[in-house]
Amino acid sequence: MPEDVLRLNKMIFHAFHGVWDEERQVGQRFEVDIAIFGDTRVSGKSDRLKDTVDLYKLYDTVEKVVTKRSFKLVEALAETIAKTLLEKFPIRKLQVTVRKPNSPIRGITDGIEVEIVREAS
């Protein structure tokens, strides 16, 4: 049976991640997408917030991870977002994409990103 997907696309944060000291001091824009895989039939039929993942709380949680901590690698940031969401919410499987649109790497004009898929243990 195909899985349903609930997405939060292009959440934008100013944060302090990167390998270079300047990136962690000045900060820059980061974009985060979350895709939650599962079955939305119950919430689709009930139309009740208690039958789904509260997207406002999900956003707040992502915001705290992105803005209150500092990582050198986007991979570590994505992994921490995924781990935190899986621990805090009734999510079985999710995809996290972290995008750094203004990468300081010469020749990269459209940023860098990492996309990971994780499942609850």
Side-chain angles (χ1 to χ4, degrees), residues 8 25 59 62 68 94-95 98 109:
L8 276 81
Q25 292 167 359
Y59 175 89
V62 172
K68 303 296 183 199
L94 58 72
Q95 176 180 308
V98 174
T109 60

Short mmCIF file of all heavy atoms in Angstrom, two decimals, residues 8 25 59 62 68 94-95 98 109:
data_model
loop_
_atom_site.label_atom_id
_atom_site.label_comp_id
_atom_site.label_asym_id
_atom_site.label_seq_id
_atom_site.Cartn_x
_atom_site.Cartn_y
_atom_site.Cartn_z
N LEU A 8 6.24 19.70 5.20
CA LEU A 8 6.50 21.10 5.54
C LEU A 8 7.65 21.51 4.64
O LEU A 8 8.77 20.99 4.78
CB LEU A 8 6.90 21.27 7.00
CG LEU A 8 5.76 21.36 8.00
CD1 LEU A 8 5.24 19.99 8.32
CD2 LEU A 8 6.23 22.06 9.24
N GLN A 25 29.95 32.51 13.11
CA GLN A 25 29.85 33.80 13.79
C GLN A 25 28.80 34.71 13.17
O GLN A 25 27.99 35.31 13.86
CB GLN A 25 31.22 34.50 13.77
CG GLN A 25 32.26 33.80 14.63
CD GLN A 25 33.67 34.30 14.37
OE1 GLN A 25 33.89 35.17 13.53
NE2 GLN A 25 34.63 33.74 15.08
N TYR A 59 7.08 22.48 13.60
CA TYR A 59 7.89 23.64 13.16
C TYR A 59 8.70 24.19 14.33
O TYR A 59 9.90 24.46 14.19
CB TYR A 59 6.99 24.73 12.58
CG TYR A 59 7.77 25.98 12.24
CD1 TYR A 59 8.35 26.13 10.99
CD2 TYR A 59 7.97 26.98 13.18
CE1 TYR A 59 9.10 27.26 10.68
CE2 TYR A 59 8.72 28.11 12.88
CZ TYR A 59 9.28 28.25 11.63
OH TYR A 59 10.03 29.35 11.34
N VAL A 62 11.70 21.99 15.03
CA VAL A 62 12.74 22.15 14.01
C VAL A 62 13.46 23.48 14.22
O VAL A 62 14.69 23.55 14.20
CB VAL A 62 12.16 22.07 12.58
CG1 VAL A 62 13.21 22.43 11.54
CG2 VAL A 62 11.59 20.67 12.32
N LYS A 68 19.13 27.00 17.87
CA LYS A 68 19.69 27.01 19.23
C LYS A 68 20.96 26.18 19.36
O LYS A 68 21.58 26.17 20.42
CB LYS A 68 18.66 26.49 20.25
CG LYS A 68 17.36 27.25 20.26
CD LYS A 68 17.55 28.67 20.68
CE LYS A 68 16.20 29.38 20.75
NZ LYS A 68 16.30 30.81 20.71
N LEU A 94 10.41 9.47 8.28
CA LEU A 94 10.44 10.83 7.76
C LEU A 94 11.64 11.06 6.88
O LEU A 94 12.60 10.29 6.89
CB LEU A 94 10.39 11.86 8.89
CG LEU A 94 11.45 11.87 9.99
CD1 LEU A 94 12.78 12.36 9.51
CD2 LEU A 94 10.97 12.74 11.12
N GLN A 95 11.54 12.12 6.12
CA GLN A 95 12.64 12.58 5.28
C GLN A 95 12.94 14.01 5.70
O GLN A 95 12.03 14.82 5.86
CB GLN A 95 12.23 12.53 3.81
CG GLN A 95 13.26 13.08 2.85
CD GLN A 95 12.76 12.99 1.43
OE1 GLN A 95 12.34 11.94 0.97
NE2 GLN A 95 12.77 14.11 0.74
N VAL A 98 18.01 19.45 4.37
CA VAL A 98 18.58 20.70 4.85
C VAL A 98 19.34 21.32 3.68
O VAL A 98 20.18 20.68 3.06
CB VAL A 98 19.54 20.48 6.05
CG1 VAL A 98 20.23 21.79 6.42
CG2 VAL A 98 18.78 19.91 7.24
N THR A 109 26.74 27.53 -7.29
CA THR A 109 25.89 28.70 -7.43
C THR A 109 24.49 28.53 -6.86
O THR A 109 23.77 29.50 -6.71
CB THR A 109 25.75 29.09 -8.91
OG1 THR A 109 25.17 27.98 -9.61
CG2 THR A 109 27.11 29.42 -9.51
#
